Amino acid sequence: MRRTVALTAAVALAGLGATAHASTPAADRTADRTAPPSRPLAGLRILLSNDDSMRAAKASNSDGLGLYELRRAMCAAGADVVVMAPWQVQSGKGTAVTNGGALTVQRRTALPAGYEDDCAGAPSGGAVFGVCVAEGGCAPDSPGATPADTVKLALRGGLAAKAGWRGAPDLVLTGINSGPNVAASVNDSGTVGAAVAAIDQDVPAIAFSSSGDESQLHFPRENYRAHAEFGARFVAGLKERGLLTSAFALKVDYPDVSAGRKAGAPVWTRVGDGAVAYHAYEQRGSGDTFDIALGLCEGGEGDGVECAENREDADSTWLLGKGHVTVAPITWDRTYGTPVDARRELKAVQRYVEREAPRP
């Protein structure tokens, strides 16, 4: 069956999509081999963004808590992390960009409780910046830059000006999003859109999204933490094998483990061709106004064409139906029928996911 909920009453569900890189220098690779096993990402510079903002203030944990868990895990593994994220929640923006005006990059000095010292030993100190559409400063009600804005700005001068980084980061990570980005929702996802913005600039990127609890209205810290710790090991494995590529981005979704169920092993998937949630439009009486609501597919016979999933290897099936971590390759190229580039890298990453990737 299908049902709809008002978007204003279920902001957290927006996570269902409503929401020139050079290889590591030889000197860095040599240093990495001597790094303690507990710091496998030593020497790696990571730009971190999302579409949920950098606020982490809501009780539902839908406005950026996952970003701080990912920052924590990457710094613990030895990476140097800088955050540039939207000032306000920007779920559902896809690859949208702001075409005029000005953007302000403002550092956050008071971080959420418990995350203040996570990156104290990193060269950049784990600096966190919010990006707003404004001149001179970001006020509490300033509109946020889009997720793609934050990545493009960071790579085209923001990191150099605010963090002193020369050249591109080694990797862009986006998320952890509040809610899975699977099936048709991927096209709307700002989390995925920000990762696409990175590979557009020839920088490797991974988009992370986590399921909420059974209600999909609350996003437990346990899910974010489990995903972030898995993510650090996942990135370390890619780095060790030389598989951080900008030929395509990776989309990594994590199931709900808050009730004690362990996540299943990573599965290589395709983006599903059905829907888990979709935008619905409800007319107010017979007038000209339509309320925007979120349509939810609930697996019944009455769900219809919009919700039907026809792919056995769909991300939504393996994540939501079977409880596995899902990994799917994402590319910027929208040309239908285009030959697949980087076949060797694609097969190598698929083999890593299926045979060698860490288990949750």
Side-chain angles (χ1 to χ4, degrees), residues 256-338:
D256 176 25
V257 295
S258 61
R261 179 182 178 182
K262 187 175 181 179
V267 177
W268 186 255
T269 66
R270 285 195 293 172
V271 174
D273 65 355
V276 174
Y278 58 92
H279 288 89
Y281 306 92
E282 300 177 343
Q283 187 177 16
R284 292 187 188 176
S286 59
D288 298 332
T289 300
F290 288 74
D291 289 315
I292 303 171
L294 195 65
L296 304 177
C297 300
E298 299 190 337
E301 292 183 1
D303 277 359
V305 174
E306 187 140 29
C307 299
E309 178 54 65
N310 300 300
R311 295 178 172 176
E312 292 183 359
D313 57 351
D315 49 7
S316 55
T317 299
W318 282 95
L319 178 78
L320 301 174
K322 300 181 180 182
H324 283 260
V325 179
T326 61
V327 183
I330 302 292
T331 180
W332 55 269
D333 190 345
R334 291 179 170 85
T335 307
Y336 182 74
T338 188

Side-chain angles (χ1 to χ4, degrees), residues 17-62:
T19 54
H21 176 76
S23 58
T24 305
D28 287 349
R29 291 198 297 270
T30 302
D32 290 348
R33 285 197 293 269
T34 63
S38 61
R39 294 176 58 81
L41 300 183
L44 199 73
R45 296 189 308 176
I46 295 176
L47 167 66
L48 179 56
S49 188
N50 68 358
D51 70 3
D52 286 337
S53 84
M54 30 60 76
R55 293 181 176 272
K58 292 183 179 179
S60 63
N61 297 333
S62 64

Side-chain angles (χ1 to χ4, degrees), residues 219-235:
F219 301 90
R221 190 187 306 267
E222 298 96 316
N223 287 353
Y224 289 137
R225 181 153 297 185
H227 195 176
E229 292 177 352
F230 167 83
R233 292 184 290 127
F234 183 81
V235 170

